[in-house]
Amino acid sequence: MGTEVKICGINSHEALQSAQLSGADYLGFVFFPKSPRHVSIEQASALTRQVKPGVKKVGLLVDASDDEIRQILAQIPLDILQLHGGEPLERVAEIKRTFGLEVMKVVKISDKKDFENIPPFEEIADRLLFDAKPPKGLKNALPGGNAVSFDWRLLSGKSWSRPWMLAGGLTCDNIKEAINISGAPAVDVSSGVEDEPGVKSADKIALFASLAKNV
């Protein structure tokens, strides 16, 4: 079985169709207004109605309130809630308990000390996603999608009791190396398959997915 692929930041019909044609296993919809990939509830509702059975619909949230999550779920049948902010352990558990959906907690990595944050979340979250911590001094840094990677060797030989994904600065040029070094069973790409921030490239999506699934 090849590496699973998540295409995040789906915000148009063209991006959605390209991702599905490429065989993406997960489609990510960003509900964070400051992101160039942000979608409104109305946009995401229209797009998710086109998602094929078996493809997981993931909602990227950043420190969202219960009311915000309820408004999204009232119109969009998400499969997974991706918590990409600074949500503490108690909040992750609360969201999972309140909404009854799979929760994927993002852990931001810059060095090996950051792995100390993983075990508590491993007990609560259904999935983990390891993303690069934005470098200090990076202007207009986003919670994710900054086209920044971390040292994949930090993941080499490690395993967790929960399914996990690798994110952060992945592109068609480095995805094979990233998987070979990290051993990632699933990868998440956003800016790495764009022609400009928020504008997905059908060719890059297809190539990325093909490379990842054939490592």
Side-chain angles (χ1 to χ4, degrees):
M1 179 179 176
T3 308
E4 290 189 316
V5 172
K6 175 173 174 279
I7 306 296
C8 197
I10 299 294
N11 57 6
S12 68
H13 172 77
E14 292 76 17
L16 180 86
Q17 293 306 315
S18 297
Q20 294 201 117
L21 286 171
S22 77
D25 304 281
Y26 306 84
L27 301 177
F29 301 88
V30 178
F31 299 100
F32 180 60
K34 293 182 180 180
S35 170
R37 302 159 192 98
H38 171 257
V39 287
S40 68
I41 292 176
E42 291 73 24
Q43 286 175 303
S45 177
L47 289 169
T48 53
R49 285 197 292 269
Q50 304 172 45
V51 176
K52 298 176 182 178
V55 178
K56 299 277 189 180
K57 300 178 289 294
V58 183
L60 189 156
L61 309 169
V62 178
D63 300 310
S65 68
D66 282 359
D67 283 345
E68 290 171 319
I69 299 173
R70 285 193 185 95
Q71 289 174 20
I72 292 167
L73 294 179
Q75 296 190 48
I76 306 164
L78 294 174
D79 300 298
I80 301 172
L81 300 176
Q82 177 178 327
L83 307 183
H84 215 110
E87 300 88 359
L89 187 65
E90 297 77 13
R91 179 59 177 152
V92 175
E94 182 182 34
I95 289 173
K96 182 177 175 180
R97 182 173 60 250
T98 301
F99 298 101
L101 292 176
E102 280 192 45
V103 169
M104 176 161 59
K105 177 56 182 158
V106 176
V107 180
K108 296 166 189 177
I109 306 292
S110 63
D111 56 47
K112 62 182 181 181
K113 289 188 293 185
D114 293 314
F115 285 85
E116 297 173 4
N117 301 322
I118 296 173
F121 287 112
E122 191 177 6
E123 295 297 318
I124 300 298
D126 300 284
R127 299 168 181 266
L128 301 169
L129 188 149
F130 303 131
D131 196 2
K133 187 179 290 185
K136 293 179 181 178
L138 179 65
K139 290 185 179 181
N140 302 315
L142 297 168
N146 291 300
V148 176
S149 60
F150 62 93
D151 187 351
W152 303 313
R153 292 174 296 180
L154 294 171
L155 292 169
S156 181
K158 288 185 169 60
S159 62
W160 286 272
S161 62
R162 303 293 189 184
W164 63 278
M165 291 186 184
L166 173 65
L170 300 177
T171 68
C172 297
D173 293 330
N174 66 20
I175 185 57
K176 293 179 73 173
E177 181 185 13
I179 294 171
N180 284 326
I181 291 174
S182 68
V187 291
D188 182 356
V189 66
S190 187
S191 61
V193 290
E194 292 179 344
D195 287 329
E196 59 184 86
V199 181
K200 292 288 187 284
S201 162
D203 290 340
K204 290 178 182 177
I205 288 173
L207 179 57
F208 183 94
S210 176
L211 291 170
K213 288 178 173 291
N214 287 286
V215 172

